[in-house]
């Protein structure tokens, strides 16, 4: 019988640090799953640099829980090896990202709920408050179509340079034709006083099987002081093979 477990490690750096110093990982804790088939650690997200209102420092997804026939997202605050009891459980969820989406200097969460194994997907935005994070979502971002894997990947950053975090949600199995051929699509939602239910900007894969949006990340890749968006796909038109490709959208392109 297969079991899944999580291993948390601490990074230690010697005091006499120099350019060639190596980081050393020291085992900190292990946590084993208790239900066969749950795929504990399907995704793991750390909340590094979040605001003090966030009571969690790590979220762990179960890819599938056979008891409820859907995934779960478990939120922890781990400071000691015995901290294995989640402080919050979101049923039917399997992905999360975080940022300050409404510019109030508090951490908010964007959580993907995937009911019926990717058939009906929704991204829920939970706003931060003075004592923590709301457990009732303030905004719902609905999938444009079923089975598009909406929210399978998300990334957060300020894309339009207004000082507020924006949310990128991908749907790598989005299809354009009657036969369900997967092109993939990426949705950009600008942050502000309220996140709109409709995206401010979308990008669609350029060919059948593109899988556009299988990964995404935001960062300043060309060192010009503005954030850029990188999106991974699985197949590029004209190659005839699934090499994978990376589509980078620099800030010079107006979002």
């Amino acid at each position: 019988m297969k079991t899944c477990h999580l291993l948390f490690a601490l990074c230690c750096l010697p005091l006499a640090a120099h350019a060639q110093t190596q980081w050393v990982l020291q085992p900190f804790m292990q946590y084993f799953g208790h239900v066969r088939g749950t795929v504990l650690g399907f995704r793991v997200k750390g909340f590094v640099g979040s605001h003090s209102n966030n009571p969690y420092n790590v979220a762990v997804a179960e890819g599938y829980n056979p008891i409820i026939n859907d995934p779960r997202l478990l939120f922890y605050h781990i400071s000691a090896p015995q901290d294995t009891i989640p402080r919050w459980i979101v049923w039917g969820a399997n992905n999360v990202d975080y940022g300050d989406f409404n510019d109030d200097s508090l951490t908010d969460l964007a959580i993907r709920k995937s009911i019926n194994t990717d058939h009906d997907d929704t991204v829920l935005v939970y706003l931060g408050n003075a004592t923590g994070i709301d457990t009732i979502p303030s905004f719902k971002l609905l999938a444009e179509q079923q089975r598009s894997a909406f929210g399978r990947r998300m990334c957060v950053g300020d894309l339009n340079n207004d000082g507020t975090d924006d949310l990128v949600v991908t749907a790598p199995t989005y299809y354009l034709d009657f036969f369900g051929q997967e092109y993939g699509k990426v949705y950009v939602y600008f942050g502000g006083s309220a996140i709109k239910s409709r995206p401010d900007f979308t990008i669609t894969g350029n060919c059948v099987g593109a899988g556009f949006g299988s990964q995404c990340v935001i960062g300043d890749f060309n060192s010009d002081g503005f954030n850029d968006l990188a999106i991974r796909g699985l197949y590029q038109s004209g190659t005839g093979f699934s090499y994978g490709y990376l589509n980078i959208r620099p800030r010079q392109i107006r979002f």
Side-chain angles (χ1 to χ4, degrees):
M1 180 179 71
K2 289 185 177 180
T3 58
C4 295
H5 72 280
L6 294 175
L7 173 64
F8 290 89
L10 294 179
C11 292
C12 301
L13 186 65
L15 292 178
H18 54 82
Q20 301 301 318
T21 300
Q22 295 183 348
W23 292 86
V24 179
L25 291 174
Q26 300 289 348
F28 178 67
M29 67 177 290
Q30 293 186 79
Y31 178 57
F32 290 83
H34 301 291
V35 179
R36 184 177 183 178
T38 55
V39 197
L40 179 69
F42 175 74
R43 284 201 182 90
V44 179
K45 182 70 175 183
F47 301 117
V48 177
S50 63
H51 296 289
S52 59
N53 70 293
N54 186 3
Y56 321 110
N57 56 15
V58 66
V60 179
E62 294 176 340
Y64 174 77
N65 188 304
I67 296 177
I68 63 172
N69 294 322
D70 274 311
R72 295 194 308 172
L73 195 58
L74 314 173
F75 290 82
Y76 299 87
H77 183 89
I78 295 177
S79 58
Q82 61 268 26
D83 294 332
T84 59
I85 299 176
R87 295 192 176 190
W88 185 32
I89 300 176
V90 182
W91 300 84
N94 62 6
N95 195 16
V96 61
D97 214 324
Y98 66 102
D100 181 8
F101 303 122
N102 59 347
D103 197 26
D104 62 356
S105 299
L106 298 171
T107 292
D108 313 310
L109 298 179
I111 295 177
R112 183 232 192 177
K113 296 198 73 172
S114 179
I115 307 300
N116 300 324
T117 318
D118 279 354
H119 289 188
D120 302 293
D121 301 318
T122 306
V123 173
L124 306 176
V125 178
Y126 297 80
L127 295 180
N129 58 55
T131 59
I133 295 176
D134 295 338
T135 55
I136 298 176
S138 298
F139 305 104
K140 293 183 179 182
L141 310 178
L142 302 178
E144 185 177 351
Q145 63 183 211
Q146 288 189 329
R147 303 174 186 266
S148 64
F150 182 74
R152 182 177 291 178
R153 292 291 183 268
M154 297 186 290
C155 55
V156 174
D158 183 8
L159 286 173
N160 57 354
N161 201 36
D162 66 351
T164 303
D165 285 333
D166 308 312
L167 175 64
V168 176
V169 180
T170 78
T173 60
Y174 175 88
Y175 55 90
L176 290 175
D177 55 40
F178 177 79
F179 300 101
Q181 307 272 13
E182 298 174 358
Y183 284 73
K185 192 169 184 177
V186 173
Y187 304 79
V188 179
Y189 300 86
F190 291 150
S193 57
I195 294 180
K196 296 182 285 294
S197 59
R198 297 179 63 86
D200 294 277
F201 189 83
T202 63
I203 314 168
T204 304
N206 65 348
C207 66
V208 172
F212 191 64
S214 58
Q215 296 284 354
C216 68
V217 66
I218 294 173
D220 182 8
F221 306 122
N222 55 355
S223 300
D224 64 352
F226 298 100
N227 279 334
D228 314 306
L229 174 61
I231 306 164
R232 179 180 183 262
L234 302 177
Y235 176 84
Q236 177 70 342
S237 178
T239 65
F241 298 96
S242 180
Y243 288 108
Y245 68 96
L246 190 65
N247 187 317
I248 297 180
R249 303 272 170 156
R251 180 61 181 85
Q252 284 85 341
I253 296 176
R254 186 176 181 83
F255 287 105

